[in-house]
Amino acid sequence: MQMEVYNIFKVNFKREWIQMKRYLPNTISELIIFYIVFLGFFLGISLIGDPENLDYNIQMIIMNYIFWYLVLSLTQGIGLEISDEAGRGTLEQLTITPYKLWFIFITRMTSVIIISMISISILLFLAMLTTRQNLNLDLLSIIPILLITLIGVLGVGYLISSITIIIKESGYLIQIFQFVIMGMTFIPLTTAPFLKFAPFMYGLQLIREITINNFSILSLNINDIVFLLLNSLIYFITGIYVFNRAEKFAKQKGLLGHY
């Protein structure tokens, strides 16, 4: 079983890697566009922001923007994959394999996360270089928090893609959702404490504490880690459940073969 899981992951990782190389100009242009948009945020906060808190505000923008880029890649990813498979006429074929559709896509999204780290690292380096800000990149503290947070992000991705699996073309909904995510990531929990129950927001807050306030995972309260884990698991399990129900409905209505 472990070898089968490895082989599925290997095939999907190779697929994503080939696509990235094949469409490298698109990847580079997307990175440039995101960097230009970041420059707009940076110049805006530099011109009208509070000079006394300027460094802190710029560091917050860097973290919020990088995190938004990552969350956007995952939440959109599953839905776009379903649309692409439906457009090629291969979506129905995936559902008749021995593996659940949600499992196939989670291996793809794991591949996307690994490959996206290249773009994210470049974007983070450019942001720090441009703003002359040094963040506390304690990977031993950041990676565990990030991985737990991404479990919940994947759950949100499945919730969104459950719409796509029925109506196939849901690009407009995904575009609207990307601005919702942006709005959420730029709101500090001190301003809206209730957002700690939203997906990925508490993980982002803990990563801010590490990168901006020089915390480490050992200095975080164990209750914070437990809350983050439960929050992420609830969203992930909910997302998988809704996705499976949507897949079952699509099969019953014969929608998987239509685009």
Side-chain angles (χ1 to χ4, degrees):
M1 179 63 182
Q2 291 180 347
M3 184 57 66
E4 291 178 353
V5 171
Y6 170 74
N7 288 334
I8 295 173
F9 169 76
K10 181 180 177 181
V11 168
N12 280 292
F13 182 84
K14 185 177 181 180
R15 174 183 180 273
E16 296 298 326
W17 180 255
I18 291 173
Q19 283 192 338
M20 189 196 75
K21 291 194 298 182
R22 183 173 296 171
Y23 300 106
L24 188 58
N26 289 349
T27 304
I28 294 174
S29 61
E30 179 185 86
L31 198 60
I32 292 173
I33 291 172
F34 270 88
Y35 177 66
I36 292 173
V37 174
F38 169 77
L39 287 179
F41 281 104
F42 169 59
L43 293 175
I45 198 68
S46 299
L47 293 174
I48 64 175
D50 183 2
E52 295 183 2
N53 299 317
L54 185 60
D55 287 347
Y56 176 79
N57 290 335
I58 290 174
Q59 291 172 0
M60 285 285 286
I61 286 177
I62 293 174
M63 287 311 305
N64 294 341
Y65 197 77
I66 296 297
F67 201 81
W68 174 60
Y69 180 85
L70 176 59
V71 171
L72 197 62
S73 299
L74 289 184
T75 52
Q76 288 187 346
I78 302 175
L80 293 176
E81 288 287 339
I82 290 174
S83 293
D84 289 344
E85 293 288 352
R88 298 188 189 106
T90 55
L91 180 60
E92 192 171 19
Q93 295 177 19
L94 289 178
T95 63
I96 60 177
T97 64
Y99 305 99
K100 295 289 187 180
L101 191 59
W102 70 266
F103 178 75
I104 294 174
F105 283 121
I106 203 171
T107 58
R108 287 192 186 179
M109 290 303 101
T110 303
S111 303
V112 168
I113 292 172
I114 296 173
I115 295 173
S116 293
M117 286 303 168
I118 300 173
S119 300
I120 289 169
S121 299
I122 294 172
L123 194 58
L124 179 59
F125 174 76
L126 289 174
M128 292 173 62
L129 187 65
T130 303
T131 61
R132 298 180 181 179
Q133 297 290 336
N134 292 318
L135 297 171
N136 176 33
L137 300 179
D138 179 4
L139 297 182
L140 293 178
S141 298
I142 294 173
I143 290 176
I145 301 297
L146 182 61
L147 291 177
I148 295 174
T149 304
L150 292 181
I151 293 173
V153 174
L154 284 172
V156 176
Y158 280 112
L159 286 171
I160 297 173
S161 61
S162 58
I163 301 173
T164 307
I165 202 171
I166 295 175
I167 65 176
K168 303 301 187 299
E169 189 57 53
S170 59
Y172 64 97
L173 290 176
I174 293 176
Q175 290 174 5
I176 292 173
F177 192 72
Q178 73 180 10
F179 293 106
V180 174
I181 295 174
M182 176 185 280
M184 290 175 64
T185 54
F186 278 82
I187 299 175
L189 290 186
T190 52
T191 303
F194 62 90
L195 283 178
K196 69 180 291 185
F197 298 102
F200 68 76
M201 285 297 293
Y202 204 66
L204 172 58
Q205 179 62 27
L206 295 181
I207 293 175
R208 286 172 183 155
E209 295 287 355
I210 295 170
T211 55
I212 298 176
N213 297 327
N214 295 317
F215 280 39
S216 73
I217 193 169
L218 297 177
S219 60
L220 297 175
N221 193 311
I222 187 63
N223 292 332
D224 293 331
I225 308 297
V226 171
F227 177 84
L228 176 63
L229 182 59
L230 291 175
N231 179 274
S232 293
L233 287 175
I234 288 172
Y235 279 103
F236 180 75
I237 293 170
T238 303
I240 296 295
Y241 174 77
V242 173
F243 182 83
N244 285 335
R245 296 292 295 179
E247 180 188 353
K248 184 177 180 180
F249 176 82
K251 285 180 178 179
Q252 292 174 343
K253 299 297 182 179
L255 301 175
L256 293 176
H258 297 165
Y259 182 67

